[in-house]
Amino acid sequence: MYSRFLSAVALAALSFTTASAGDRPAGKVTVVFDHVLPNVPGKSMRGVLVEYEPGGGSPAHTHPKSAFIYATVLEGAIRSSVNGSPEKVYQVGENFYEDPGSRHEVSVNASDTEPARLLAVFVLDTEEKELTTPIKE
């Protein structure tokens, strides 16, 4: 009984420490298609499904300098800010884009109770392998 109590206290302390650090559950990223553009030499189109659990999000990041990105919210709501723009919440069916070289400072699930998903379509240099690079402040 006493050991269960200590375990509960330790878990609560760990949860408090994690929450106070502002950590969010990481998003799940899945490439759903990757297709060379036959009429644009050296370019490809990649579709990426981004899934955030409640309260989840991605750290501030950039994408390859060759990448133009068009994102559409498929489920839930996404709070986003690109290149210092005011944060905006995008609902299902709404979309946003990122020009090449953009900084994506905020990309999080706008809900702490419901999941969120978006489809990001990249047009980028075919040889690009890394789609996201965290911003080190």
Side-chain angles (χ1 to χ4, degrees):
M1 175 85 142
Y2 184 69
S3 64
R4 273 194 259 176
F5 173 75
L6 287 178
S7 295
V9 169
L11 182 60
L14 181 60
S15 297
F16 178 74
T17 302
T18 300
S20 66
D23 290 340
R24 295 182 168 274
K28 178 182 175 188
V29 177
T30 307
V31 175
V32 294
F33 67 85
D34 187 353
H35 188 72
V36 172
L37 297 175
N39 60 336
V40 186
K43 296 289 184 179
S44 288
M45 186 172 4
R46 289 190 198 138
V48 177
L49 180 65
V50 180
E51 300 173 275
Y52 293 138
E53 55 185 85
S58 299
H61 59 273
T62 61
H63 298 288
K65 292 187 189 308
S66 69
F68 175 82
I69 303 156
Y70 189 82
T72 301
V73 178
L74 303 175
E75 176 184 9
I78 303 288
R79 186 165 42 90
S80 181
S81 172
V82 177
N83 293 331
S85 66
E87 291 183 18
K88 179 176 177 188
V89 174
Y90 295 89
Q91 305 291 334
V92 172
E94 293 184 313
N95 52 66
F96 60 91
Y97 66 91
E98 297 180 47
D99 285 324
S102 292
R103 294 171 53 94
H104 199 165
E105 289 102 358
V106 177
S107 182
V108 297
N109 185 340
S111 173
D112 288 329
T113 59
E114 301 294 326
R117 294 184 309 141
L118 67 85
L119 177 66
V121 177
F122 289 65
V123 175
L124 74 169
D125 291 346
T126 299
E127 75 272 356
E128 293 289 356
K129 300 300 177 216
E130 295 297 321
L131 295 180
T132 304
T133 303
I135 295 173
K136 295 180 173 129
E137 298 292 328

